[in-house]
Amino acid sequence: MSKGKFNWRKLTALVAVLVLTLIQSVSMSRARTSALPVNITSTELKLDSELRTFDSFFDDWLKVFQQHRVLSKKASVTSTEFNAFKTNSEGIKNRCSQLEGAIRDTIRKLKAADRWDGLDEEALAKADDEGLKSELREGGGLKHLLENAASQYCSQATDEIIGPIESLRPRVSAQGQDLFFEQGTRDYGLRMVRVSYNPAPPMFTHTLRCIGATIRVAVHLVATGHSGPARGNKECFCYDSCGAAATSE
């Protein structure tokens, strides 16, 4: 009788231990399952719209930049050529606010995806050439470049975008020059043109177009793992390696 009671007590204790173990196992499994969606959400980064804005802006600016290179090699340009270049340059300037908006949205999404704090290290790790790494380091890191560009890029880049207009004005052929002065300013003695293009000192060491192209490449690498056509744009803007299109006449 004593032995039967002893076995029953041992069995009861064993069952209790198994039940507690099962409860703990289920609780841990539920905790892991409930935490999983949070982790997935925190690392999700979708910058498709922002990257399209970067691509469109800098690719179109490159066309204007190359257009200026071609025209600046000519002894004179026609009024049609000048007006087309002026219109294209001012179009880039007017779209710059869209670029700043895309940069601000990029910062916001990087923070929401928990990718902001380690962004500099991630960008350097994914940079696939020493030139890009050097540009990021000289700029204080991708975070610093993005933060500055989000509020200052357009104000700093304006002279760089539309300054070349004035550098071409003296080359306009005589028959069309009157088109470039507002009606009512017929006093030729008051006409003044800026012979050289001297932009204001930028907030970065490199040109603003180079900094913007660098940001574009780095964000592409962080968001997608590859730079795509953004690479050639940066090479032209930063190293004057623009290919035949920029030098043909």
Side-chain angles (χ1 to χ4, degrees), residues 55 128-129 132 216-221 224-232:
D55 292 345
D128 49 6
D129 69 78
L132 178 58
R216 175 191 177 189
V217 170
V219 173
H220 261 285
L221 288 171
T224 68
H226 56 83
S227 60
R231 172 73 60 192

Side-chain angles (χ1 to χ4, degrees), residues 190-220:
L190 296 178
R191 292 185 180 181
M192 300 180 64
V193 295
R194 188 166 59 184
V195 176
S196 61
Y197 165 46
N198 297 307
M203 60 181 172
F204 303 112
T205 303
H206 295 296
T207 61
L208 271 295
R209 59 180 177 268
C210 173
I211 291 298
T214 297
I215 291 173
R216 175 191 177 189
V217 170
V219 173
H220 261 285

